Amino acid sequence: MTQVTILSDNEVGGSRPKGLRAEWGFAADVGGVLFDTGQTGIAADNADKLGLGPYETLVLSHGHYDHTKGLPAFVDDAEEIYVHPDAFEPKYHGAESIGLPYTREWIESHATVNTHRDPVEITDRIYALGEIPRRYPDSSTGEIRDTDGTSRPDPVHDDQPLVVTGEGGLGLVLGCCHAGLRNTIEHAEDVFDRPVQTVLGGTHLRSPDPDELDEIVAWVAERVERIAPTHCTGHDARRKLEDAFGEDYERVGVGSTVEL
């Protein structure tokens, strides 16, 4: 079994240990690998309170600030960082920058940066899935600003989860799932030729059309055994997922641990 502990999320999962804090962002310890870094240094403080880290290996789910801005608190211990190359693109929401706030050169001055589009093994049983084909509608966000100052929609091709493999199936740990839940689940199953059993993390089901939300929830509930949504999952989506999964819906937050 691989243990996943949430280090950064929108809410705290319990009252112990004392002093855990929440923020808008996501980070998790996945079998000793750091997946995302949250928005501030809170993830590092929480890891210390939970007795986790330091981390030699980091994986970034995509290049948005709420998953990467906490990097300085971890980077001095890091040896390798895995990330899709598009994570370094200038990302904006209108006039506001929402992208990775550090240059590749600065990160490379601390650790080896491994960019990849294909699935890559991070450690035993844990893989970064890489770029995800988009058969179903995705949850793209914001714009990319080109060198001439023009902007174009950002498909967030850099979005990727961690995949934890087991004999009976897969566990997915999601950052924001901009690629879309259905696309991400299908691609993981195609790559590893086994079913996804558990989904944990941000689903980006925030404000879709109600009918589309019902369709996505029904599809996922038919396909997946257990779900533990975090971060960018809206209240309506959480309620519908809990109704659909029943006892197999897990409420989690900072400090929560899930076995995959």
Side-chain angles (χ1 to χ4, degrees), residues 55-99:
Y55 298 98
E56 296 180 354
T57 305
L58 283 66
V59 180
L60 299 179
S61 66
H62 63 300
H64 283 160
Y65 73 98
D66 48 338
H67 296 256
T68 62
K69 196 174 180 181
L71 186 58
F74 296 102
V75 76
D76 286 340
D77 296 309
E79 295 184 4
E80 292 193 289
I81 298 174
Y82 293 84
V83 61
H84 188 289
D86 290 0
F88 296 99
E89 292 181 319
K91 297 175 181 291
Y92 286 82
H93 188 275
E96 181 182 18
S97 173
I98 60 171

Side-chain angles (χ1 to χ4, degrees), residues 94-248:
E96 181 182 18
S97 173
I98 60 171
L100 174 61
Y102 313 110
T103 65
R104 179 168 181 166
E105 291 72 23
W106 179 83
I107 299 172
E108 287 180 327
S109 71
H110 294 272
T112 299
V113 174
N114 302 293
T115 56
H116 65 104
R117 297 180 185 273
D118 296 323
V120 59
E121 186 174 18
I122 305 301
T123 188
D124 184 43
R125 296 186 60 231
I126 300 175
Y127 296 77
L129 188 56
E131 190 168 322
I132 297 166
R134 312 284 174 98
R135 173 186 173 188
Y136 297 96
D138 57 22
S139 298
S140 56
T141 298
E143 303 87 33
I144 299 170
R145 188 164 297 175
D146 294 326
T147 54
D148 63 0
T150 60
S151 296
R152 52 191 168 87
D154 182 8
V156 200
H157 282 149
D158 42 317
D159 177 79
Q160 64 171 339
L162 283 186
V163 181
V164 179
T165 61
E167 291 185 6
L170 308 173
L172 296 186
V173 185
L174 312 173
C176 249
C177 206
H178 288 286
L181 265 175
R182 291 173 290 183
N183 294 320
T184 302
I185 291 168
E186 278 203 348
H187 187 52
E189 292 180 339
D190 288 344
V191 168
F192 294 97
D193 193 27
R194 64 191 80 176
V196 171
Q197 294 175 315
T198 301
V199 171
L200 181 156
T203 66
H204 218 265
L205 296 177
R206 294 177 60 190
S207 56
D209 175 88
D211 292 336
E212 181 184 2
L213 178 58
D214 288 342
E215 180 181 330
I216 294 170
V217 168
W219 188 97
V220 174
E222 181 70 23
R223 195 87 166 226
V224 174
E225 295 178 9
R226 179 175 59 152
I227 196 163
T230 68
H231 181 43
C232 53
T233 307
H235 295 298
D236 286 346
R238 289 176 188 260
R239 176 178 54 79
K240 289 177 182 290
L241 287 167
E242 186 169 13
D243 288 344
F245 278 84
E247 294 181 354
D248 295 317

Side-chain angles (χ1 to χ4, degrees), residues 5-23 41-52 252-257:
T5 302
I6 298 173
L7 304 178
S8 173
D9 189 21
N10 301 4
E11 56 187 58
V12 174
S15 60
R16 295 291 186 277
K18 293 180 179 179
L20 295 178
R21 292 184 292 163
E23 64 177 349
I42 281 178
D45 291 342
N46 289 335
D48 185 60
K49 289 181 174 66
L50 291 162
L52 299 172
V252 295
V254 172
S256 298
T257 296

